[in-house]
């Protein structure tokens, strides 16, 4: 048999057939390398929340300028992630993994030695390139390599990565900044990235499923315009009162580009040339899962953004104590995620998703009760309840979203899921911060004290989050499916 024939058969065969020769050791090594890489990169996404004041002081920049370290990261993610459906088909997964890790390493080295804000922003953008590729790669590889009846358990472990990373980011950041300074936040990631790279070199050896397909340049441009301008528009809402035209134009360009992008993808799908296959949305379970992940990530990042502000500015608590208060929630997520992953494997999505949605909503409603007099332990309990709900949702949503898709759509489904995650996070953060800022300024203008005004603004923001999370319960109730063990 010729090498061309072998290659053709490998591409035509199902993923399970291509990966049957992998040993348990290899499979464990591949998933471990991807999970550790994703954990490191997601942790990196939220570590600057506590470090930003120190960076602003050292580099003599304003809060609006410093916010670009987060906005630039999100913009890069939102532009790259929609293209990963194509990238996962066009390039070998090992090559994508190596590119992602090396990009993250390069960006991290630049961040450690950054002499100015411009270099630090460049570092964050390069880091975001790697992060945008790793997250869909983790999900697609899990779906491709892991047997159906074990996917819930592995997705539960993956949800630790995606859920716990942002949760403990402020804790790690607070401790490191308090003891050493913000440069060391990035320095501590270098040895982890090096270990991940070595693990990938040793274990990430999967038969290639790459296909020689052409990228549609117009789709790439439309995707960049649509998701880039939408995320920028969302991020600029907080300052829309000073420059409303910029916000309106950003949304207009983003929405028009998105409409044209969707129409083009639908027309190209029949030719097999689409950048992102939107037929995944024909599954109601997949569509509801996307809505749910947007609500979950929006309330999570929104809460993680304003709770430290409340405690630091409203109650005078230092960054180290704030980080330690948030830690039990991250630990709770790490404990319950694999447990409920096994429950998903045995009983399907509803016993995981429904309790998760209820606890997420309960956490948000508990947050609406806090005030300037609330003790720190109450913040911790509320965060634990919220975090457990998030862990259950992450475990069930990642598995159930893909369960109804054909294997050929795994890459596209992963790209859509992760795009929804980032958009949800950007929308949630903007809603929470903007509402808190507007309401607190209004209260201060009417003579209310600064701390009380800040908590009044947070109360309204948490009310919005609680309503959204409550709506999410009905979506969770509508997601049905059999246990993976029954689908073998």
């Amino acid at each position: 048999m010729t090498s061309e024939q072998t290659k053709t058969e490998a591409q035509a065969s199902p993923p399970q057939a291509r990966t049957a020769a992998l040993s348990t050791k290899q499979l464990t090594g591949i998933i471990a390398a991807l999970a550790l890489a994703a954990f490191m990169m997601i942790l990196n996404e939220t570590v600057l929340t506590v470090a930003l004041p120190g960076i602003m002081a050292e580099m003599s920049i304003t809060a609006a300028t410093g916010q670009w370290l987060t906005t630039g990261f999100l913009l890069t993610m939102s532009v790259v992630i929609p293209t990963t459906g194509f990238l996962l088909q066009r390039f070998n997964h090992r090559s994508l993994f190596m590119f992602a890790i090396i990009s993250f390493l390069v960006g991290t080295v630049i961040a450690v030695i950054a002499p100015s804000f411009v270099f630090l922003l460049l570092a964050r953008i390069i880091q975001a390139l790697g992060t945008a590729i790793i997250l869909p790669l983790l999900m697609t590889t899990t779906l491709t390599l892991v047997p159906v009846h074990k996917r819930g358990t592995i997705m539960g472990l993956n949800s630790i990565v995606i859920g716990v990373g942002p949760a403990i980011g402020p804790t790690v950041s607070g401790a490191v900044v308090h003891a050493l300074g913000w440069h060391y936040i990035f320095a501590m990631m270098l040895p982890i990235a090096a270990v991940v790279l070595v693990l990938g070199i040793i274990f990430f050896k999967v038969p290639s499923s790459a296909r020689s397909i052409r990228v549609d340049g117009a789709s790439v441009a439309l995707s960049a315009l649509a998701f880039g301008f939408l995320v920028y528009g969302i991020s600029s809402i907080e300052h829309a009162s000073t420059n409303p035209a910029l916000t309106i134009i950003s949304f207009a360009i983003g929405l028009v580009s998105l409409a044209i992008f969707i129409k083009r993808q639908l027309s190209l799908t029949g030719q097999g040339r689409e950048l992102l296959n939107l037929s995944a949305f024909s599954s109601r379970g997949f569509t509801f899962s996307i809505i749910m992940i947007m609500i979950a990530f929006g309330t999570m990042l929104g809460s993680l953004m304003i709770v430290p502000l409340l405690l630091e500015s409203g109650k005078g608590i230092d960054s180290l104590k704030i980080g330690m208060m948030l830690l039990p929630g991250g630990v709770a997520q790490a404990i319950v995620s694999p447990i409920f992953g096994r429950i998903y494997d045995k009983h399907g999505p509803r016993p995981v998703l429904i309790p998760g949605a209820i606890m997420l909503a309960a956490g948000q409603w508990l947050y609406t009760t806090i005030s300037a007099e609330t003790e720190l332990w109450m913040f911790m309990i509320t965060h634990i309840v919220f975090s457990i709900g998030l862990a259950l949702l992450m475990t069930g949503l990642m598995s159930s979203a893909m369960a109804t898709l054909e294997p050929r759509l795994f890459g596209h489904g992963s790209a859509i899921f992760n795009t929804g995650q980032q958009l949800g996070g950007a929308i949630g953060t903007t809603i929470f911060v903007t509402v808190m800022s507007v309401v607190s300024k209004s209260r201060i203008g009417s003579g209310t004290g600064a701390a009380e005004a800040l908590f009044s603004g947070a109360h309204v923001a948490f009310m919005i989050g609680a309503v959204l999370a409550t709506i999410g319960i009905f979506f969770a109730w509508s997601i049905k499916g059999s246990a993976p063990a029954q689908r073998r």
Side-chain angles (χ1 to χ4, degrees):
M1 185 179 290
T2 66
S3 59
E4 270 312 305
Q5 287 174 313
T6 304
K7 183 178 179 182
T8 302
E9 288 181 13
Q11 291 174 349
S13 62
Q16 291 80 1
R18 292 198 305 270
T19 59
L22 288 175
S23 66
T24 303
K25 182 180 178 182
Q26 280 180 298
L27 179 56
T28 303
I30 290 169
I31 299 297
L34 278 167
L36 186 57
F39 178 79
M40 171 184 66
M41 293 181 185
I42 293 243
L43 182 71
N44 173 71
E45 194 169 343
T46 57
V47 289
L48 288 188
T49 53
V50 179
L52 196 56
I55 294 172
M56 288 163 52
E58 182 176 321
M59 295 187 168
S60 301
I61 56 174
T62 64
T65 302
Q67 188 61 34
W68 270 99
L69 294 175
T70 299
T71 303
F73 192 94
L74 285 172
L75 278 171
T76 306
M77 292 272 285
S78 64
V79 169
V80 176
I81 285 179
T83 69
T84 55
F86 165 80
L87 295 174
L88 288 166
Q89 292 182 80
R90 178 63 182 82
F91 297 102
N92 181 282
H93 289 188
R94 177 185 169 89
S95 300
L96 287 174
F97 176 84
M98 294 301 175
F99 174 81
I101 298 300
I102 291 170
S103 295
F104 186 83
L105 263 170
V106 170
T108 305
V109 169
I110 295 173
V112 171
I113 62 174
S116 65
F117 173 77
V118 172
F119 279 91
L120 187 56
L121 179 59
L122 175 64
R124 292 287 285 171
I125 290 171
I126 296 173
Q127 284 182 327
L129 284 174
T131 307
I133 291 171
I134 280 292
L135 297 180
L137 185 58
L138 171 64
M139 192 180 295
T140 303
T141 303
T142 301
L143 292 166
T144 303
L145 301 186
V146 177
V148 174
H149 63 285
K150 293 183 179 178
R151 281 183 193 161
T153 302
I154 301 301
M155 284 295 192
L157 294 172
N158 289 348
S159 75
I160 295 175
V161 166
I162 296 174
V164 177
I168 69 169
T171 303
V172 174
S173 178
V176 173
V177 170
H178 184 80
L180 300 169
W182 69 265
H183 284 278
Y184 287 88
I185 292 175
F186 298 107
M188 72 178 183
M189 292 182 186
L190 289 175
I192 303 174
V195 169
V196 171
L197 185 60
V198 171
L199 279 174
I201 292 170
I202 295 172
F203 292 107
F204 213 112
K205 297 173 183 177
V206 182
S208 175
S209 59
R211 295 188 294 128
S212 181
I213 52 177
R214 285 189 305 155
V215 64
D216 180 59
S219 293
V220 174
L222 286 167
S223 172
L225 287 171
F227 295 105
F229 273 98
L230 283 176
V231 169
Y232 182 79
I234 292 165
S235 301
S236 66
I237 287 176
E238 184 183 355
H239 310 289
S241 58
T242 57
N243 194 351
L246 182 62
T247 302
I248 293 169
I249 291 170
S250 296
F251 274 112
I253 294 174
L255 290 171
V256 170
S257 300
L258 181 62
I260 299 172
F261 174 78
I262 291 171
K263 184 177 180 181
R264 186 167 183 82
Q265 298 320 292
L266 293 175
S267 66
L268 291 175
T269 297
Q271 306 169 35
R273 294 179 51 231
E274 74 281 4
L275 181 70
L276 195 62
N277 193 317
L278 302 178
S279 59
F281 283 109
S282 61
S283 164
R284 189 180 75 164
F286 180 86
T287 303
F288 285 176
S289 294
I290 298 300
I291 295 171
M292 279 297 301
I293 199 62
M294 291 183 72
I295 291 173
F297 241 66
T299 53
M300 180 192 74
L301 289 184
S303 299
L304 281 176
M305 182 64 72
I306 70 172
V307 167
L309 288 173
L310 281 176
L311 293 173
E312 192 167 349
S313 302
K315 291 176 70 71
I317 297 173
D318 66 53
S319 60
L320 183 59
K321 285 184 180 178
I322 294 170
M324 294 308 294
M325 182 279 294
L326 294 171
L327 184 58
V331 173
Q333 280 185 264
I335 292 171
V336 303
S337 291
I339 295 172
F340 279 90
R342 288 193 289 273
I343 291 174
Y344 174 90
D345 283 337
K346 290 181 180 178
H347 304 290
R350 298 187 82 187
V352 177
L353 293 180
I354 294 172
I358 291 171
M359 290 192 73
L360 189 86
Q364 285 292 291
W365 284 111
L366 282 172
Y367 269 133
T368 65
T369 67
I370 61 175
S371 67
E373 289 74 40
T374 302
E375 297 289 338
L376 194 60
W377 64 265
M378 185 60 190
F379 280 89
M380 183 180 71
I381 295 296
T382 301
H383 184 61
I384 290 172
V385 172
F386 180 79
S387 297
I388 292 174
L390 182 68
L392 269 63
L393 283 176
M394 292 298 293
T395 298
L397 287 173
M398 285 195 292
S399 301
S400 60
M402 302 297 162
T404 57
L405 301 183
E406 301 172 40
R408 67 183 180 85
L409 293 176
F410 284 164
H412 293 283
S414 298
I416 293 169
F417 190 88
N418 284 284
T419 300
Q421 213 169 269
Q422 295 303 317
L423 283 175
I427 293 168
T429 301
T430 300
I431 288 175
F432 275 57
V433 173
T434 302
V435 169
M436 185 178 73
S437 298
V438 170
V439 174
S440 62
K441 285 177 183 177
S442 173
R443 295 293 167 86
I444 289 172
S446 62
T448 305
E452 188 180 341
L454 195 64
F455 275 89
S456 295
H459 174 77
V460 178
F462 283 128
M463 282 292 293
I464 294 171
V467 170
L468 288 172
T470 303
I471 292 171
I473 296 173
F474 295 99
F475 283 107
W477 201 277
S478 302
I479 297 174
K480 300 176 182 178
S482 59
Q486 298 169 5
R487 298 199 296 265
R488 276 184 289 177

